[in-house]
Amino acid sequence: MRAYLIRRILLMVPVVLGVTVVVFLIIHLAPGDPVLLLVGERAPPEIYERVKHAWGLDRPLLTQYFSFLGNVLKGDLGMSIQMRRPVAELLARAIPVTLELGVAAMGLAVTVGVVSGVVSAARAGSATDQVTMVGALLGVSVPGFWLGQLLILLVAVELHWLPPSGYGGLKYLIMPALAMGFADAALTARTTRSSMLEVIRQDFIRTARAKGLTERVVIYRHALRNALLPVVTLIGLDLGYLIGGAVIMEEVFGRPGMGRLMIHGILSRDYPVVQGCLLFLAVSVALCNLLADIAYVFLDPRIRLQ
């Protein structure tokens, strides 16, 4: 296990390096001038050049990239051009807000998705199964940002049950978590149902039933564990997606997380902030996939990490 973990972590290095190259080039080659936004269009040329030199933006792109990479390896993500504060400090404040939303949405998606998928498979063909699958189809068809705006209009504006936006407690977390987790719950339910139906039809399940075990024991002890492998793969991919998807949802619900920080960085051409946010997202997605691979071993000991 230790050798596998070391090998997978080493394999993440070229992935993250590739992401830094792409992000750096996209940000620096996109139209717009952050120095002009900082000093104003009427600033004298000598002031413009002085500020550009101070931020190192007059150096060749390759020099700027290796300078950025060297600072990242030392744990220094640079200074925000607009906010004049260390990017690491800004991320340290924003990441917990984003992780809170991502974990809440994933908890909702896994709980609702797995339970409804198992119930639907156990009662395949029944009215419960059909209603669950219709709900799952609706869930994967509705965009999260549209559902978020609908929740704001219905729950906050019309019914006054929850605040429309903000941050600071459970009441501010419920609507964005629902909007983010609904589609993933639907996808998890469909995947769980398909996997469960495949496992339920296998011989060892018939044997378990022939031994006189109750249906609950057959479903939850014998079938569910074997059916969870594709679900774990989906959850591993979705967790990275949810953290990235928080970028949009935080803007919709006015949460001061990494999403709002990154959008503010993009609009103001704040290179260090955007690079820091995207670097965190790339590492998060790679770590989520690593956790999913490790989970395979615990679910199915026949799988060897070689």
Side-chain angles (χ1 to χ4, degrees), residues 10-300:
L10 290 177
L11 285 174
M12 287 168 53
V13 174
V15 174
V16 175
L17 280 177
V19 170
T20 62
V21 172
V22 173
V23 168
F24 185 85
L25 289 178
I26 289 176
I27 295 296
H28 283 74
L29 297 179
D33 189 342
V35 180
L36 203 60
L37 289 173
L38 193 63
V39 301
E41 295 185 356
R42 297 182 179 179
E46 58 272 19
I47 298 295
Y48 175 88
E49 293 298 332
R50 190 183 304 166
V51 173
K52 190 173 183 179
H53 178 73
W55 287 101
L57 298 175
D58 57 345
R59 295 179 295 173
L61 273 182
L62 198 60
T63 306
Q64 291 185 47
Y65 171 72
F66 281 110
S67 175
F68 161 70
L69 198 59
N71 290 332
V72 168
L73 293 176
K74 292 186 291 186
D76 180 10
L77 297 175
M79 291 283 291
S80 166
I81 295 176
Q82 296 293 327
M83 290 176 271
R84 312 290 181 87
R85 296 168 67 180
V87 174
E89 179 186 323
L90 297 174
L91 284 177
R93 292 187 177 184
I95 286 173
V97 180
T98 300
L99 287 181
E100 180 187 79
L101 178 56
V103 170
M106 178 51 73
L108 175 73
V110 172
T111 304
V112 175
V114 171
V115 171
S116 58
V118 170
V119 171
S120 182
R123 301 179 182 179
S126 67
T128 303
D129 179 30
Q130 294 175 3
V131 170
T132 304
M133 286 302 101
V134 169
L137 182 61
L138 182 66
V140 296
S141 305
V142 175
F145 67 89
W146 182 83
L147 179 60
Q149 293 175 339
L150 189 66
L151 287 173
I152 290 174
L153 286 174
L154 180 64
V155 179
V157 177
E158 295 294 333
L159 300 176
H160 303 285
W161 287 352
L162 293 170
S165 63
Y167 172 72
L170 183 61
K171 61 182 179 181
Y172 293 99
L173 183 63
I174 294 175
M175 284 200 298
L178 278 173
M180 276 186 65
F182 187 56
D184 285 293
L187 195 57
T188 303
R190 292 171 65 90
T191 305
T192 304
R193 179 182 182 274
S194 300
S195 185
M196 282 289 293
L197 287 177
E198 186 178 344
V199 172
I200 284 173
R201 293 165 183 157
Q202 294 186 12
D203 291 340
F204 75 94
I205 295 296
R206 295 192 189 95
T207 304
R209 284 173 172 156
K211 289 165 62 180
L213 298 178
T214 63
E215 190 65 16
R216 181 182 295 274
V217 172
V218 171
I219 293 295
Y220 290 99
R221 184 177 298 175
H222 295 274
L224 180 58
R225 182 170 181 173
N226 291 278
L228 279 180
L229 285 179
V231 180
V232 168
T233 304
L234 178 67
I235 291 172
L237 294 173
D238 277 351
L239 189 55
Y241 165 76
L242 281 174
I243 295 175
V247 171
I248 298 174
M249 210 54 68
E250 285 173 356
E251 189 66 17
V252 172
F253 287 95
R255 293 174 62 83
M258 205 177 57
R260 293 194 74 189
L261 181 65
M262 189 159 72
I263 289 177
H264 179 272
I266 292 172
L267 294 178
S268 61
R269 309 286 301 165
D270 199 337
Y271 296 153
V273 169
V274 179
Q275 288 169 170
C277 291
L278 290 177
L279 189 62
F280 171 77
L281 289 177
V283 174
S284 299
V285 172
L287 285 176
C288 290
N289 282 285
L290 174 63
L291 291 176
D293 287 347
I294 294 173
Y296 291 158
V297 181
F298 293 99
L299 289 172
D300 190 348

